[in-house]
Amino acid sequence: MVKENDVIAIIIILLFIVIAAIAFGIWRIVHVARHQGTLESSSGTGSPGKTMYANTISLAAGHTPVRL
């Protein structure tokens, strides 16, 4: 039989694991976005917003990304 205190401890441990997973996911998204932005901004002229938008459309259509 599981005691009430044990259930609370298990819930808290699970919450820490979930929060750590979410934090890692956010860190990974930010890391990839910063790395991608650095590559695009250093490889030509033009607004990074337009380039990222064009690349997204090109990749979604299955084409090689094109700079505008």
Side-chain angles (χ1 to χ4, degrees):
M1 188 94 180
V2 179
K3 292 185 265 182
E4 186 178 342
N5 289 343
D6 293 341
V7 173
I8 293 171
I10 290 170
I11 290 171
I12 290 174
I13 290 169
L14 289 175
L15 284 175
F16 272 114
I17 292 171
V18 169
I19 290 171
I22 292 170
F24 176 76
I26 291 171
W27 172 82
R28 184 73 182 145
I29 290 170
V30 169
H31 178 73
V32 168
R34 284 184 179 171
H35 180 69
Q36 193 174 34
T38 302
L39 289 176
E40 289 179 5
S41 65
S42 66
S43 62
T45 60
S47 120
K50 275 188 170 180
T51 304
M52 291 179 75
Y53 182 69
N55 286 344
T56 303
I57 292 173
S58 296
L59 291 174
H63 300 117
T64 305
V66 178
R67 296 193 72 80
L68 295 177

